[in-house]
Amino acid sequence: MIINNPGGKSYDLIVVGGGHAGCEAALASARMGNSTLLATINIRDIARMPCNPAIGGLAKGQLVREIDALGGEMGLCIDAAGIQFKMLNRAKGPAVWSPRAQADKAVYHEKMLEALSSEEGLDIFEGEVEGIAVEEGRVTGVTISGERIRGKKAVLALGTFPNGLMHIGERKIPGGREGEPPSCLLSDDLAANGIERARLKTGTPARLKRSSIDFSRCQEQPGDISPVPFSFRTKKLNLDQISCYITYTNVETHDIIRKNIDRAPLFSGQIMGTGPRYCPSIEDKVIRFSGRDRHQIFLEPEGRGSEEIYINGLSTSLPVDIQEKMIRTVAGLEDSEIVRYGYAIEYDFFPPHQIHASLESRKIEGLYFAGQVNGTSGYEEAAAQGIVAGINASLSLRGEPPFLPGRHQAYAGVMVDDLITKEIDEPYRMFTSRAEHRLLLRQDNADERLFRYAVRYGLLEKGLWSEMISRKKRVMKAKRRLHREVIPAERINSLLENEGAPPATEARKAIQIARRPEIGVEKLEAILDGGGLGLGERELDMLGIEIKYDGYIARQKKMAHKLLKMDKMTIPDGFSFEIEALSREAREKLGRFRPETLGQASRISGVRNSDLSILMIFIEKLKKESKNSGRRGMNFR
């Protein structure tokens, strides 16, 4: 419900910021039964996509599936607002398949606002939060327009607004994004409360008028013939998809950039914050990869009825006159009309060594941080943090242990663990390569991994869990049948001949035939005794993965179990890392990051195996002494 004034009310949870992190945090909180306030500078900008008009992508698609499996809203919104759907990396193994969808940005905003407005127990208020109220080291509310709003917990999902400063050439414009003011008072107030802050940078490209582009000079990129929805709750997608297009920069484009590089804020010293290494500006790419004579550009529509085209791959903060010259050297864009110019933005973030794995502040009890304020980039990374923060704030209100997904359970767990154990010196982006157990963390099995938590916390109905269990049982039953059934050579050869494969010389178990890359489960069904397996399309995909990768999956599970032992060895609160036997670097890093488990300690750069052995000895010794003496001063969680 949208309200005009929250004055006089007291909330269980106050969420600051209406971006992707804030929306998921607020919805999770309200759905878990808490009175919740979502405070945002502008309601019209709730769930806005200020950069690329897309959800998902490599590793990001996995995050969206996990958000959905936890009862979040992002998957449902993109299913309703999507204008083109693709499953990326189909030519590779299922561990790296990732769904991605182009979005109608206006529809996405409308769907998320509708979900928020209709959620019982959730108030939405338009206003700037100027500070937090802290009493005895615990957050007790926020200040809006000089008025204090009481709250037992708070989630800060501020995006790029804290002391935001936009750059277009030599121009500097205070703002959290185009057309929006920065949030300076709250950032300064957090610093005054002892929260360390630093600066990062990100950017966005220009937008072009669709009717001014010659698409005949570009390569068309249609969507998948059978689009796959993001949400496990969406049964089927029925839509007319809109194509994207590919074009390229060229030598002339790069020459213009090089000749004017002194006017680029990133190279003139005007921008001090560090930008994303994996999503660099075009001027950064031209200088860094000087041997390349072209870079790929995607032309992506921002909506069905929108005239704006997003130039993915041409992010820039060059002056407007240079942007115009540069863009018009690209094939298909020679006569293009620029609707909005690209810009870079610098903003404050709060280094995440200051938070627990629950995303709660180590310095202020009940205060949670989610999204770009933790040093991440991307809508999906922000939304995943938002739902984790919302769940954990709610569990804390219930007096229950926090939800801490491990690296073997979720990409969200990988991301949070990376944030709290690594130096964040550039915007963090999720990649499949960051997950050592990525075959366990596939996009197709997020429901198997996380539905149980969503049902337990009241975020999803039990029926969805039951459906998933039934589906899993059907797949396992079919797998057992393939292990039992033996197929005569002549029947196998009738199938192999059609595939141009060498014939079989003897009968084989059906499971062995299904493992052959040229066969697969779908084709095998035609030669089984008694007909097919009776599985749906998704179940056949699941079975195929189980069969072809079961050995790899078993090995990853075994490895995850070993690592889990280290993650279960907790380090007590207040433990001193000033142990002479530890290396100097280990003492410094451990004291800075203050890991909560031995597993976290093992992932901190500079902590060696010998340091871990020493830590283990001291922790075990302390636990034994604590047990023998009955001491209660050390909390081993």
Side-chain angles (χ1 to χ4, degrees):
M1 178 176 65
I2 298 174
I3 62 172
N4 294 321
N5 187 354
K9 294 188 72 172
S10 179
Y11 293 91
D12 293 321
L13 178 67
I14 298 173
V15 178
V16 184
H20 303 281
C23 290
E24 296 293 353
L27 285 168
S29 171
R31 289 167 177 171
M32 290 177 73
N34 302 311
S35 59
T36 306
L37 174 67
L38 174 61
T40 181
I41 291 177
N42 192 331
I43 290 174
R44 293 190 302 274
D45 289 327
I46 277 178
R48 181 175 169 184
M49 296 181 179
C51 201
N52 62 310
I55 295 292
L58 302 181
K60 293 170 176 282
Q62 281 88 331
L63 282 173
V64 182
R65 283 287 175 87
E66 291 175 359
I67 293 163
D68 184 72
L70 287 169
E73 201 68 22
M74 179 172 264
L76 289 170
C77 280
I78 187 57
D79 284 348
I83 59 177
Q84 187 200 85
F85 289 78
K86 275 195 168 187
M87 184 65 72
L88 306 181
N89 273 348
R90 274 285 195 184
K92 299 181 180 179
V96 293
W97 292 356
S98 300
R100 185 180 190 271
Q102 295 297 138
D104 186 313
K105 295 168 76 166
V107 173
Y108 189 93
H109 156 76
E110 290 167 6
K111 292 296 180 181
M112 187 63 80
L113 182 57
E114 182 182 318
L116 292 162
S117 302
S118 61
E119 191 62 49
E120 188 177 348
L122 174 56
D123 289 344
I124 306 170
F125 177 69
E126 188 175 84
E128 182 182 354
V129 173
E130 301 157 345
I132 58 171
V134 180
E135 296 176 11
E136 297 179 350
R138 181 186 295 111
V139 69
T140 57
V142 301
T143 304
I144 303 177
S145 301
E147 185 176 3
R148 181 173 171 182
I149 312 300
R150 296 195 66 84
K152 297 174 185 175
K153 307 283 180 182
V155 174
L156 301 184
L158 311 177
T160 59
F161 282 78
N163 280 316
L165 182 64
M166 297 184 293
H167 299 262
I168 306 177
E170 296 85 358
R171 291 176 60 202
K172 297 180 184 179
I173 311 157
R177 60 190 170 210
E178 187 179 46
E180 296 291 338
S183 173
C184 300
L185 294 175
L186 181 53
S187 180
D188 294 345
D189 183 69
L190 290 169
N193 275 283
I195 305 295
E196 178 189 335
R197 58 181 170 174
R199 297 286 275 178
L200 287 175
K201 168 259 177 189
T202 189
T204 190
R207 270 57 158 194
L208 306 179
K209 190 174 182 180
R210 186 199 299 253
S211 56
S212 69
I213 298 172
D214 183 359
F215 290 107
S216 67
R217 301 199 62 204
C218 307
Q219 302 168 21
E220 186 175 5
Q221 296 288 301
D224 288 343
I225 294 172
S226 300
V228 178
F230 270 89
S231 176
F232 293 103
R233 291 163 279 175
T234 303
K235 299 304 179 186
K236 191 173 180 60
L237 292 171
N238 294 301
L239 74 158
D240 293 324
Q241 299 193 69
I242 296 177
S243 290
C244 298
Y245 292 82
I246 289 177
T247 185
Y248 296 87
T249 61
N250 51 55
V251 173
E252 186 181 358
T253 317
H254 299 180
D255 283 344
I256 290 171
I257 293 170
R258 289 191 186 96
K259 288 176 182 176
N260 293 277
I261 201 67
D262 60 317
R263 299 182 64 192
L266 189 62
F267 290 89
S268 67
Q270 182 174 311
I271 291 177
M272 304 302 292
T274 306
R277 181 171 24 134
Y278 300 104
C279 189
S281 65
I282 186 61
E283 50 265 38
D284 195 13
K285 285 192 281 191
V286 167
I287 298 302
R288 193 194 305 176
F289 307 108
S290 56
R292 294 182 61 175
D293 56 11
R294 72 174 193 170
H295 291 282
Q296 187 170 257
I297 293 171
F298 289 88
L299 302 177
E300 302 174 343
E302 298 212 334
R304 288 190 182 278
S306 174
E307 264 285 277
E308 292 194 16
I309 296 291
Y310 179 88
I311 325 174
N312 193 338
L314 211 67
S315 175
T316 184
S317 59
L318 284 162
V320 295
D321 59 319
I322 306 305
Q323 290 191 40
E324 290 177 355
K325 290 179 183 178
M326 169 184 72
I327 288 170
R328 290 181 180 133
T329 63
V330 176
L333 310 184
E334 293 89 347
D335 299 314
S336 61
E337 181 180 331
I338 298 176
V339 178
R340 287 188 285 154
Y341 292 97
Y343 62 87
I345 181 168
E346 279 186 290
Y347 56 94
D348 289 348
F349 83 106
F350 305 95
H353 65 263
Q354 303 173 99
I355 58 175
H356 296 287
S358 63
L359 302 184
E360 184 179 15
S361 170
R362 291 176 181 267
K363 298 185 177 181
I364 301 174
E365 186 181 337
L367 183 66
Y368 295 76
F369 289 80
Q372 286 180 282
V373 289
N374 283 334
T376 61
S377 67
Y379 313 141
E380 304 83 1
E381 289 90 339
Q385 291 172 72
I387 197 166
V388 169
I391 289 172
N392 281 328
S394 301
L395 291 173
S396 181
L397 286 165
R398 294 178 181 180
E400 296 180 16
F403 168 57
L404 305 174
R407 296 182 72 91
H408 66 293
Q409 287 179 299
Y411 271 87
V414 174
M415 173 175 61
V416 172
D417 188 71
D418 282 350
L419 291 176
I420 64 175
T421 60
K422 292 175 173 53
E423 295 280 359
I424 302 299
D425 52 11
E426 63 176 329
Y428 178 95
R429 181 178 178 182
M430 194 73 249
F431 292 104
T432 53
S433 59
R434 295 190 190 274
E436 56 270 51
H437 310 301
R438 54 186 172 274
L439 196 50
L440 305 181
L441 308 181
R442 305 185 310 275
Q443 54 81 30
D444 64 282
N445 71 352
D447 55 344
E448 295 178 32
R449 294 184 275 118
L450 299 172
F451 261 9
R452 71 189 70 184
Y453 299 103
V455 171
R456 184 188 305 166
Y457 301 148
L459 292 165
L460 285 178
E461 297 176 359
K462 290 182 180 178
L464 287 168
W465 169 256
S466 299
E467 285 177 20
M468 188 274 293
I469 293 297
S470 297
R471 186 166 56 246
K472 185 73 174 173
K473 284 180 178 178
R474 288 193 295 272
V475 171
M476 291 300 102
K477 182 179 178 181
K479 187 177 179 182
R480 288 193 295 271
R481 176 184 167 185
L482 296 183
H483 272 288
R484 290 193 309 267
E485 190 163 328
V486 177
I487 303 177
E490 60 270 19
R491 221 187 303 162
I492 298 171
N493 290 335
S494 68
L495 189 59
L496 294 176
E497 185 178 346
N498 291 335
E499 301 302 321
T505 58
E506 58 185 0
R508 288 280 187 273
K509 283 189 175 182
I511 195 82
Q512 294 173 300
I513 306 303
R515 288 192 178 118
R516 296 185 64 149
E518 70 271 23
I519 302 298
V521 177
E522 297 88 345
K523 295 174 183 175
L524 177 67
E525 281 192 295
I527 61 171
L528 291 175
D529 278 332
L533 296 165
L535 300 178
E537 184 179 348
R538 186 185 170 202
E539 292 166 340
L540 284 171
D541 284 343
M542 291 169 63
L543 178 59
I545 292 169
E546 286 279 347
I547 289 170
K548 291 189 176 181
Y549 296 92
D550 55 357
Y552 298 102
I553 291 171
R555 280 197 289 273
Q556 286 206 2
K557 284 181 177 178
K558 190 174 181 181
M559 185 191 307
H561 182 69
K562 285 182 179 179
L563 294 175
L564 190 58
K565 288 183 178 178
M566 292 184 72
D567 279 318
K568 284 185 175 179
M569 179 170 277
T570 57
I571 299 173
D573 294 337
F575 183 85
S576 175
F577 295 103
E578 289 302 315
I579 300 170
E580 190 174 342
L582 292 173
S583 68
R584 182 179 298 175
E585 184 179 12
R587 291 200 299 271
E588 178 190 338
K589 291 290 185 70
L590 291 167
R592 176 176 171 78
F593 288 98
R594 297 213 59 81
E596 297 173 331
T597 69
L598 198 65
Q600 286 180 10
S602 73
R603 294 184 286 273
I604 296 173
S605 174
V607 178
R608 302 173 300 194
N609 288 335
S610 57
D611 295 318
L612 294 173
S613 299
I614 293 164
L615 261 184
M616 191 182 299
I617 292 168
F618 274 79
I619 292 169
E620 290 290 358
K621 181 182 177 183
L622 190 59
K623 283 184 177 180
K624 188 175 181 180
E625 290 175 353
S626 179
K627 183 178 180 180
N628 291 338
S629 63
R631 286 165 53 195
R632 297 183 181 179
M634 285 291 177
N635 178 15
F636 286 90
R637 291 179 288 276

